[in-house]
Amino acid sequence: MTHVPHVQPTGKTTRLRGRRRPPRRALALTAALAALALTAPAASAEGARAPADRPGAPAGCDAARGALGDSLDTLITRHGIPGAAAEVADPSCGRRSAARGVADLATGRPARAEDRLRIGSVTKTFTATVVVQLAAEGRIGLDAPVERYLPGLIRGNGHDGRRITVRQLLQHTSGLPDHAESITGLPVNDWRYRHYEPRELIATALKLPHPAKTWHYSTTNYVIAGLIVEKVTGRGIEAEVTRRIIEPLGLRDTFWPGDGDGDGGGGDETRIRGAHSRSYFTGPDAPDAAPPERERIDGTEWNVTFGGAGGALISTPADVNRFYGALFGGRLLPARWVAEMKRAVPADPDRLWPGARYGLGLIATPLECGGWWWGHGGTVPGGHRALGAVGPDGRGVALALNQVPATDEAERDFLAVVSTALCAAPGTQHPEETA
C-alpha cells in the first residue's frame, strides 16, 4: 500500500506500494477520458489551515501557493481525478494548503486538505521507524537474520529466514514475493471485506514465484517486520506505532482501522471515522468511452488487514507532514539512525518511478531544482493515493487523491505536485547531494 494498490478497470489491483505501470486498457481508457471535463461540480479551497503567509515571509510565497493549486488543477481537469488536496509545511512561508475538486461525488462536497484518507504504504515509514527505534535501543539488530526473532517462519520454496536480515526486509532486498500480487488478482468482492492474519499473508507469499530482480517491492516484508516488533516488545505493531509515534506527536487524525479504544490495536473496521474523503476505483465492466460518473465505484469501505503493518493507517496531509518533519527533525530518532534509514539502493522504476532509490521505509527521488526529496507514497485498492515528502531545505508536502492516477502521464503529474511544492518558492535551488 507506496505504492499502495489500486483497482484497475479489469477489476484487479496493483500492489501495496508507490505505483505500478497500468495495463494497456487502463491507458486507453484514461486517454479517452482526459478530453472530457469532470462532470461533478468542481470546488476549490485554498489555505484552509493557514491562509496567511508567515510574518516577514519572503516575496514569492503567494506565487508558490498559486503554483501548488495549479498543479492540483491539472490532476482534476486533465486526468479526471475527482478530488485532490495538499498541505505544505514551509519554514519560510508557513503552512499552506490547497484543494481542488470534490471529496464526495454523490453530494458534491468540496475536497479539503483536512479530510482523512487511507495513506496506504506511507504506513511503511511508520513501521520502519519503530523497527529502527528498537535497533537504536539495542533490542533489534538490523543485520540480524529474521530467524533470530521468528524461528522457522520463513522456510520453503527456496526461502530461508536464516539468510534474510531485518535490513533486507525494510529495504525490499529480501527476495521475498509480495502476497498482494496474489490477493489483488482475485475478483474484488472476494477479498474486499475479508480479514487476513499476518502469518496467512506470509504463507501466501512464500508460495509465489521468486522475484526476477534483486530489488522487489513487497508488502510481505513489512508484515514480517511487524511480527518482529511484536516478538521483541510483546505488543503488536499497531500498539507500538501508536505509543511511540502517534501519541507523542499528537497526530489526532492518525489511527489504525478498528482502533476505537486508542490502544493501538488494529482491526476489521471497514469505514473511516470522522471527516474524510470518499475514494473511487473503476469497475471491471465499464465501456472504454464511458463518462467518469458511470465507471466509478465507491471504494471507501475496505478491510485493509491485507496491508497491515505495510499499509493500513488512516491519516491526513497535516499529520503526515508532522510525522516526516519530526522524523527528519530528530524528534523520533538520533541523527545517526535517520542516516541509517537513508542508506538507499536503486529501486525498480517499473515498481516505483524513474530515479527512485529505497532506504529503510523511505523513498528518495531527485528534484528538478537540485537535491532529493525523502518520504513515501501509498495507494490503497479503494482509490486513495497519498504521499509525504521532505526536501533538502526542510520543506514538506503531503498529498491526497481520492482516485488513483491510471496512466503514466497522470502519475508524472501527481509527482510533479511534489516538485512544485518543494521547488516553487523564491530562490529555491538545492545543492547536489547523494542519496
Side-chain angles (χ1 to χ4, degrees):
M1 301 175 85
T2 152
H3 177 273
V4 275
H6 68 274
V7 177
Q8 303 284 13
T10 59
K12 298 183 179 181
T13 63
T14 61
R15 313 335 181 227
L16 281 72
R17 62 177 183 275
R19 74 175 286 271
R20 179 169 169 78
R21 190 176 303 279
R24 290 181 181 176
R25 185 170 182 268
L27 293 171
L29 175 61
T30 304
L33 294 175
L36 299 175
L38 185 65
T39 56
S44 170
E46 292 285 4
R49 187 171 294 272
D53 288 336
R54 175 171 297 175
C61 290
D62 283 342
R65 181 182 294 111
L68 178 66
D70 290 345
S71 66
L72 296 177
D73 274 333
T74 298
L75 296 171
I76 305 300
T77 60
R78 182 181 300 171
H79 303 297
I81 303 296
E87 190 204 68
V88 175
D90 191 327
S92 298
C93 298
R95 289 186 179 271
R96 60 184 183 273
S97 63
R100 294 290 190 272
V102 296
D104 187 329
L105 285 170
T107 66
R109 177 170 60 87
R112 305 184 314 146
E114 294 79 20
D115 284 343
R116 294 171 176 175
L117 77 155
R118 301 188 193 279
I119 61 172
S121 285
V122 176
T123 305
K124 288 181 170 66
T125 312
F126 285 77
T127 294
T129 299
V130 169
V131 173
V132 177
Q133 284 178 336
L134 291 167
E137 295 166 10
R139 301 171 69 183
I140 287 179
L142 291 179
D143 295 308
V146 173
E147 185 79 6
R148 177 182 297 178
Y149 308 102
L150 301 170
L153 178 65
I154 310 302
R155 296 286 177 85
N157 194 21
H159 302 291
D160 190 340
R162 294 169 295 188
R163 297 196 296 266
I164 297 172
T165 67
V166 175
R167 184 188 303 276
Q168 288 172 329
L169 293 177
L170 300 183
Q171 204 173 54
H172 294 306
T173 55
S174 68
L176 291 171
D178 187 351
H179 66 267
E181 296 185 11
S182 174
I183 294 171
T184 59
L186 300 171
V188 170
N189 287 332
D190 285 1
W191 60 279
R192 177 174 176 174
Y193 300 106
R194 181 184 164 185
H195 173 86
Y196 288 92
E197 287 290 332
R199 290 176 183 268
E200 177 186 6
L201 298 173
I202 296 164
T204 296
L206 294 180
K207 297 175 184 176
L208 296 175
H210 285 232
K213 298 182 180 180
T214 302
W215 188 90
H216 183 81
Y217 193 100
S218 172
T219 295
T220 306
N221 289 320
Y222 278 75
V223 173
I224 297 167
L227 290 182
I228 292 174
V229 169
E230 182 176 358
K231 180 73 173 197
V232 169
T233 66
R235 292 176 291 270
I237 183 62
E238 298 90 352
E240 285 298 287
V241 166
T242 301
R243 184 175 74 89
R244 290 169 172 267
I245 299 175
I246 294 173
E247 290 177 347
L249 297 182
L251 306 182
R252 289 184 290 273
D253 292 310
T254 303
F255 58 93
W256 300 92
D259 184 22
D261 56 8
D263 66 354
D268 291 324
E269 185 176 23
T270 60
R271 69 187 183 95
I272 301 176
R273 285 176 275 118
H276 62 276
S277 69
R278 308 300 296 178
S279 62
Y280 303 94
F281 66 97
T282 54
D285 299 319
D288 284 352
E293 72 275 12
R294 285 184 55 194
E295 65 163 15
R296 290 193 181 102
I297 297 172
D298 190 311
T300 313
E301 294 184 355
W302 213 286
N303 186 320
V304 289
T305 53
F306 80 99
L313 275 173
I314 292 166
S315 190
T316 61
D319 273 8
V320 169
N321 267 337
R322 290 189 184 98
F323 165 62
Y324 281 113
L327 175 61
F328 297 125
R331 293 182 59 190
L332 297 173
L333 283 167
R336 65 161 287 220
W337 290 98
V338 175
E340 197 72 36
M341 293 183 73
K342 287 185 170 183
R343 290 177 58 184
V345 297
D348 182 353
D350 286 337
R351 300 182 73 84
L352 282 181
W353 44 79
R357 298 177 67 86
Y358 204 94
L360 306 185
L362 288 174
I363 299 170
T365 302
L367 281 165
E368 60 187 25
C369 54
W372 298 69
W373 65 254
W374 290 88
H376 214 290
T379 310
V380 291
H384 275 142
R385 181 85 163 95
L387 190 145
V390 175
D393 61 359
R395 193 182 329 167
V397 61
L399 310 181
L401 306 183
N402 58 3
Q403 184 171 314
V404 177
T407 67
D408 284 349
E409 181 187 7
E411 180 69 18
R412 284 193 296 270
D413 284 339
F414 173 70
L415 293 173
V417 179
V418 181
S419 291
T420 296
L422 300 183
C423 291
T428 300
Q429 186 65 42
H430 302 308
E432 290 300 318
E433 61 176 346
T434 301

